[in-house]
Amino acid sequence: MTLEDLVRLRRARDVMDRDYAQPLNVPALASVALMSPGHFSRSFRAAYGETPYSYLMTRRVERAKALLRRGDMSVTDVCFAVGCTSLGSFSTRFTELVGESPSVYRARRHDAGAAIPACVAKIFTRPVRNGGAETGVAS
């Protein structure tokens, strides 16, 4: 993979990070990266270790966790606020990444991490597959 390809993939990843609540799909993201959809998907997975869809859903779940911790929105409202169109798919992916359903996550107390700066908390609360965190600490 060339440096130019990595720059293009980063551009598409930045779009997912910034516009996670928008209806994004592989063809749209591939056009941002100036690649065909198939080449984009393969290259993205090779560069980042997950599919574009998986990366986007992780961003959406990460944002959903923040909204659910506030406690002033229903799970359904959070689902749509982060760009998901199916409550069932959102709940399934949330549970897969976080280890508990959005309703259970919303209902439990979250004040233990209130004194932790957001930039540090983000590292430990980032949802990843199998319920672990990138740092090896369970979220």
Side-chain angles (χ1 to χ4, degrees):
M1 187 173 312
T2 68
L3 181 58
E4 185 176 326
D5 286 342
L6 291 172
V7 168
R8 291 176 180 174
L9 290 170
R10 178 58 189 247
R11 191 176 306 132
R13 194 177 80 165
D14 288 347
V15 167
M16 287 187 266
D17 289 342
R18 183 182 59 247
D19 299 332
Y20 63 87
Q22 301 303 314
L24 299 172
N25 58 34
V26 169
L29 294 167
S31 70
V32 169
L34 305 174
M35 298 178 177
S36 72
H39 182 65
F40 171 74
S41 291
R42 287 187 301 276
S43 298
F44 191 95
R45 185 177 184 111
Y48 298 112
E50 60 185 328
T51 66
Y53 176 77
S54 178
Y55 183 86
L56 178 59
M57 286 304 296
T58 299
R59 293 286 71 69
R60 288 176 172 172
V61 168
E62 183 176 62
R63 182 63 184 141
K65 287 176 69 175
L67 293 173
L68 290 168
R69 281 193 300 271
R70 288 188 352 201
D72 61 349
M73 294 175 73
S74 71
V75 171
T76 302
D77 291 339
V78 168
C79 167
F80 294 124
V82 298
C84 295
T85 56
S86 165
L87 182 58
S89 296
F90 167 74
S91 294
T92 298
R93 183 54 65 104
F94 188 98
T95 302
E96 175 185 306
L97 292 174
V98 178
E100 59 189 348
S101 73
S103 299
V104 170
Y105 184 84
R106 182 180 182 271
R108 75 175 167 83
R109 295 180 59 95
H110 297 282
D111 50 337
I116 300 171
C119 59
V120 174
K122 181 178 177 182
I123 294 167
F124 290 99
T125 62
R126 181 172 187 235
V128 294
R129 297 210 178 291
N130 302 325
E134 288 181 332
T135 60
V137 178
S139 51

